[in-house]
Amino acid sequence: VSTSERRRNRRGEGERLRAEIVAGAAALLEETGSEEAVTLRGVARRVGIAAPSIYGHFADTDEILQAVIGQAFGVLDEALQRAEDESTEEDRLVAVCLAYVRFARQKPHVYRVMFGRHRSTEGAAVNRTRPVDELSGAQAFERLVAAVCARTERPPGAGSLRDATVLWVALHGYVSLQTAVPAFPWPPADDMVETLIARFLGGFGPEL
Amino acid sequence: VSTSERRRNRRGEGERLRAEIVAGAAALLEETGSEEAVTLRGVARRVGIAAPSIYGHFADTDEILQAVIGQAFGVLDEALQRAEDESTEEDRLVAVCLAYVRFARQKPHVYRVMFGRHRSTEGAAVNRTRPVDELSGAQAFERLVAAVCARTERPPGAGSLRDATVLWVALHGYVSLQTAVPAFPWPPADDMVETLIARFLGGFGPEL
DNA sequence: TGTACATCAGTGAACGCGCGTTCACTGATGTAC
DNA sequence: TGTACATCAGTGAACGCGCGTTCACTGATGTAC
């Protein structure tokens, strides 16, 4: 995302601007730390285009944010997959959890928007529980479930859904609070992740 | 917070408006679910006064939000204290945790603002860890520490700070995600809290 | 007890600003002949 | 190979709106005499 002069895209490559807009909005969000700073005109300035040029690709600012969120879920999933691939079954859970925490710490404000907005319109029905695999982030969550199963040496099932939920909740609480209240005396991230896993999967953490 | 006609406060009672502004801002935040909806003019409309009337009590909108947050921390602390008072040492931890969760569920958007904004300016130094008791919510946190100690039958100390941190992180993650992703198949709140505490204490939750 | 006056609580009109959105447009680029 | 043309990618100016903020003000209320 540079500030240098923009060259108009060639014919047939108009879709490139779409990607630039998403990248610009993500950068703007992460830099300012404020969702309110992500305005249509603000994004246009950041990308280096005239404001109306956005309408060719997005109907409104919310659509841009949705695209930012969607892309971020993809990046998160890739990070978890890499952690999966580069770990043994034994240390997979730690690796996946650390990758999750690292993702959240690298893009704290994008992360906050991913998991901090009330998304009541997700799917058709409101006030209705849906299967996990229909929600955004489903793939990432499934990786966590798989890593839990690898660690507890149990087959996937309702129990591992519960286990993964408990662990997810703890990881999310950790990274969110660390971003929001940096002045709190947090333990080092590795320690914290290990402790969370040990405690919430029924083992004993260090120093307990 | 009514919409009925306002009567001008009598002499010497001008401070009443301050409280009305804070209440109006909190109501507006909770109803709209959006921090962006809490504008100076919006709050004035909600309270039923002219916009400039606010300047007698607050310098800007952020000051109003700070007051809302401060008051909410007071309410949270009172709720936890009530839970303390009405419980035995044995079931104190469950009672305090449930009170925390209930508070967050009753005012989910106020809660989100309390713990979701990056407060880098808290205290003088930036990027610097501070003792817990200098942060907002310190009293509430101390109640959690005390409840953990009551349950583990250990004296307060570094270990219980760590314990309370781990539990806090889990509770916060739970209530935040439940608000943000209501479509996720969450277990009932009581089950979830019990599971979190049971796991956290190194025991075994139900169905594990 | 009455009355003039200072003060307090709050107002109404006006401003400049950035926002989202519309409209007619421009100019480069590829294509048909 | 040249040229007319359609199309594509993006622009500039303008609009109405709600916002924060200022300013001089109003009118009720308590107080001093």
Side-chain angles (χ1 to χ4, degrees):
Chain A
V1 185
S2 72
T3 322
S4 72
E5 218 157 314
R6 235 188 79 84
R7 247 213 162 79
R8 158 189 306 240
N9 283 309
R10 316 184 66 172
R11 271 199 159 185
E13 299 186 337
E15 285 306 303
R16 286 192 178 189
L17 182 52
R18 189 194 156 87
E20 285 183 62
I21 291 168
V22 173
L28 200 54
L29 171 58
E30 202 52 54
E31 283 160 19
T32 63
S34 156
E35 209 173 329
E36 301 175 37
V38 182
T39 63
L40 195 138
R41 285 182 109 108
V43 172
R45 266 194 304 275
R46 170 80 212 202
V47 175
I49 55 173
S53 305
I54 291 189
Y55 290 112
H57 302 276
F58 299 96
D60 54 31
T61 312
D62 195 65
E63 240 181 63
I64 303 176
L65 264 178
Q66 293 300 337
V68 169
I69 291 172
Q71 187 187 265
F73 270 114
V75 172
L76 170 60
D77 189 53
E78 280 167 31
L80 298 194
Q81 183 169 21
R82 225 173 309 125
E84 256 183 16
D85 294 346
E86 294 171 0
S87 62
T88 64
E89 268 210 14
E90 206 176 331
D91 61 5
R92 179 151 307 152
L93 185 57
V94 173
V96 167
C97 290
L98 274 177
Y100 187 98
V101 169
R102 229 173 275 129
F103 171 84
R105 293 192 49 116
Q106 252 159 40
K107 307 267 179 185
H109 299 294
V110 170
Y111 180 87
R112 178 163 48 75
V113 171
M114 289 168 77
F115 291 108
R117 316 180 89 202
H118 181 89
R119 292 196 302 281
S120 60
T121 49
E122 178 134 86
V126 182
N127 276 338
R128 199 156 192 83
T129 281
R130 333 198 66 223
V132 172
D133 64 333
E134 291 179 22
L135 301 170
S136 25
Q139 290 179 41
F141 186 78
E142 288 304 334
R143 291 192 197 284
L144 186 60
V145 173
V148 166
C149 289
R151 170 73 166 250
T152 59
E153 295 181 340
R154 284 182 303 150
S160 58
L161 171 66
R162 170 74 62 108
D163 287 350
T165 302
V166 167
L167 193 51
W168 176 39
V169 148
L171 291 173
H172 173 76
Y174 171 48
V175 295
S176 310
L177 286 174
Q178 201 179 29
T179 301
V181 196
F184 187 88
W186 296 106
D190 289 19
D191 283 17
M192 192 69 183
V193 168
E194 268 182 45
T195 304
L196 291 179
I197 292 174
R199 296 282 180 101
F200 290 111
L201 286 182
F204 291 91
E207 296 171 50
L208 179 67
Chain B
V1 185
S2 71
T3 325
S4 72
E5 217 158 315
R6 235 187 77 85
R7 247 213 163 78
R8 158 191 305 241
N9 284 308
R10 316 185 67 172
R11 271 196 159 190
E13 299 186 337
E15 286 305 304
R16 287 193 177 188
L17 182 52
R18 190 194 156 87
E20 286 183 63
I21 292 169
V22 173
L28 200 56
L29 171 58
E30 202 52 55
E31 283 160 20
T32 63
S34 156
E35 208 173 331
E36 300 175 38
V38 183
T39 64
L40 194 137
R41 285 182 111 108
V43 172
R45 266 194 304 276
R46 169 81 212 202
V47 175
I49 56 174
S53 305
I54 291 189
Y55 291 111
H57 302 276
F58 299 96
D60 54 31
T61 312
D62 195 63
E63 241 182 62
I64 303 177
L65 265 178
Q66 293 300 336
V68 169
I69 291 171
Q71 185 187 265
F73 270 115
V75 173
L76 170 60
D77 189 52
E78 282 167 30
L80 298 194
Q81 182 169 23
R82 226 174 306 125
E84 258 183 14
D85 295 344
E86 294 170 1
S87 62
T88 64
E89 269 210 13
E90 206 176 334
D91 60 5
R92 179 150 307 152
L93 185 57
V94 173
V96 167
C97 289
L98 275 176
Y100 187 97
V101 169
R102 229 173 274 130
F103 172 85
R105 292 192 50 116
Q106 252 160 40
K107 307 267 179 188
H109 299 293
V110 170
Y111 179 86
R112 179 163 47 76
V113 171
M114 289 168 77
F115 291 107
R117 317 179 89 203
H118 182 89
R119 292 196 301 282
S120 61
T121 50
E122 179 134 87
V126 181
N127 276 339
R128 198 156 193 83
T129 282
R130 333 198 67 223
V132 172
D133 64 332
E134 291 179 23
L135 302 169
S136 25
Q139 290 180 41
F141 186 78
E142 288 304 333
R143 291 193 197 283
L144 187 60
V145 172
V148 166
C149 289
R151 174 70 169 251
T152 59
E153 294 178 342
R154 284 183 302 151
S160 58
L161 171 67
R162 167 76 62 109
D163 287 348
T165 301
V166 168
L167 192 50
W168 176 38
V169 146
L171 292 173
H172 173 78
Y174 172 49
V175 296
S176 309
L177 285 174
Q178 201 180 30
T179 301
V181 196
F184 187 88
W186 296 106
D190 289 19
D191 283 18
M192 191 68 183
V193 170
E194 268 181 45
T195 302
L196 290 178
I197 292 175
R199 300 278 182 101
F200 156 80
L201 289 172
F204 293 91
E207 296 171 50
L208 180 65

